[in-house]
Amino acid sequence: MDIFTSKMDLQRHVQALKSVGKTIGFVPTMGFLHEGHLKLVERSVAENDITIMSIFVNPLQFGPNEDYDAYPRNPDKDQVLAKQAGVDVLFMPDSSDMYDQEHAFHIHVLQRTDRLCGKSRPGHFDGVVTILMKLFHIVGPNRVYFGLKDAQQISVVDSLINYFDFPIELVAVETVREQDGLARSSRNVYLTNLERKEAPYLYKALKMGEQQILQGERNVERITQMIHEYIEKNTSGKIDYIELLSFPELRSLSSIQGKVILAIAVQFTRARLIDNTILTVGN
Ligand code: PAF
């Protein structure tokens, strides 16, 4: 596995690979790798000649009161895991290389961000698309891999790729879960012992909602209310949102039909957990 910290060196390396016709799969991450990331790598390795992973905790996507400084980091372990998983090229720039000039632009996302995490994290997706545009230009991948746990991120990246005509295929990969259903996340390490026991109720709640829809419930309010009560009863977390929307457009539903997402965010003491389920509903 080759490791690059300079974007110029990486660009040169990528150009050489492309000149001999290699296809490139790209897995952008913020490190502290877990099964979820490794699943993305597995898929990329299966579908491309070369897999490039980036590890960069992007300051631009953290709000002033968020956990940028405290975001978990373990670059040494990440290198071992990335190599074992089959990553060919690891890009680990530091902040001064990625943002080596004054900010001359502010990229602002106008759609798909006024609800779910975008609503409670203003500016977050502006930071995500800024770093992704830079990384897409540096890496020039054929395919890019994202986990469905961050479904709003997938929705925004889908729009980014279409709007700016990046010749990149977006691949959305199923959420990896613990045995008890808790979605894998770098932030799970922040849960207290009690919260860790409560956390699987998020997924149970989503499954319950899904079941209701499959059994014919078509009232959005009733479904979200039921989930609300269930989460309040079984966890000590504070509910940020529970929403049922169209996917990937993230619009309110006049009727529960077609591809829909049931999404949830709960704030525990130190960890804010998100999860979702996406389903297709017939008439
Ligand atoms: O999902 C993440 O880890 C980040 O938002 C991403 C896509 C690597 C951009 O910094």
Side-chain angles (χ1 to χ4, degrees), residues 172-190:
V173 179
E174 276 306 316
T175 302
V176 178
R177 300 182 179 281
E178 305 286 352
Q179 286 220 319
D180 57 14
L182 174 63
R184 291 275 175 113
S185 161
S186 304
R187 290 189 170 96
N188 289 350
V189 292
Y190 293 151

Side-chain angles (χ1 to χ4, degrees), residues 105-113 125-137 140-141 155-170:
F105 293 88
H106 179 99
I107 300 178
H108 181 51
V109 190
L110 291 171
Q111 284 179 358
R112 304 184 176 186
T113 53
F125 285 108
D126 296 350
V128 170
V129 299
T130 305
I131 192 66
L132 286 178
M133 285 179 78
K134 289 167 78 72
L135 289 168
F136 289 174
H137 285 303
S155 162
V156 171
V157 175
D158 168 62
S159 164
L160 174 74
I161 286 176
N162 286 322
Y163 188 79
F164 286 105
D165 303 303
F166 282 102
I168 302 176
E169 184 191 334
L170 169 61

Side-chain angles (χ1 to χ4, degrees), residues 14-25 48-50 140-142:
V14 171
Q15 267 158 20
L17 291 168
K18 288 189 146 182
S19 69
V20 291
K22 299 285 185 200
T23 58
I24 294 180
N48 303 278
D49 298 324
I50 299 288
N142 301 84

